[in-house]
């Protein structure tokens, strides 16, 4: 079973993975309000890509669901689903729900 708390933990663990590659002064704070993209974002574009890949891999390992989070759908939204940790949790939750429904 999946829920938003599990997804938040996956994203936080993925942030830990990305943070391990960053200098101490550039590490991302694990807070639901942390901005991941856009102006004043905690990550540059490469860091965001690394985070998205880490989340995709963790979701597949945890739930057995293969997701592509940075697809046309994500890029065509008026607000990026990766603008903050909160929006990322909501987006990943929605994507997993759709994939699980499609499998049933």
């Amino acid at each position: 079973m999946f829920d938003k708390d599990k997804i938040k933990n996956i994203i936080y663990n993925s942030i830990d993975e990305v943070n391990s590659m960053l200098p101490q002064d550039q590490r991302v704070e694990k807070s639901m309000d942390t901005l991941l993209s856009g102006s004043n974002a905690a990550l540059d574009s490469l860091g965001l890509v690394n985070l998205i890949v880490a989340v995709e891999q963790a979701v597949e390992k945890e739930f057995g669901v293969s997701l592509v989070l940075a697809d046309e759908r994500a890029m065509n939204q008026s607000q990026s689903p990766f603008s903050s940790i909160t929006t990322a949790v909501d987006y990943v939750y929605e994507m997993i729900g759709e994939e699980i429904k499609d499998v049933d």
Side-chain angles (χ1 to χ4, degrees), residues 79-92:
Q79 178 184 359
S80 169
F82 310 108
S83 59
S84 71
I85 292 177
T86 297
T87 59
V89 168
D90 291 342
Y91 186 66
V92 172

Side-chain angles (χ1 to χ4, degrees), residues 12-53:
Y12 280 3
N13 290 336
S14 297
I15 288 172
D16 288 339
E17 192 175 317
V18 170
N19 278 343
S20 72
M21 298 181 274
L22 296 173
Q24 185 72 30
D25 64 333
Q26 294 178 11
R27 294 194 175 166
V28 178
E29 179 185 356
K30 293 188 293 186
S31 164
M32 293 300 283
D33 297 327
T34 297
L35 299 178
L36 300 175
S37 66
S39 59
N40 301 318
L43 294 169
D44 62 14
S45 57
L46 182 58
L48 181 60
V49 169
N50 287 333
L51 178 62
I52 290 169
V53 169

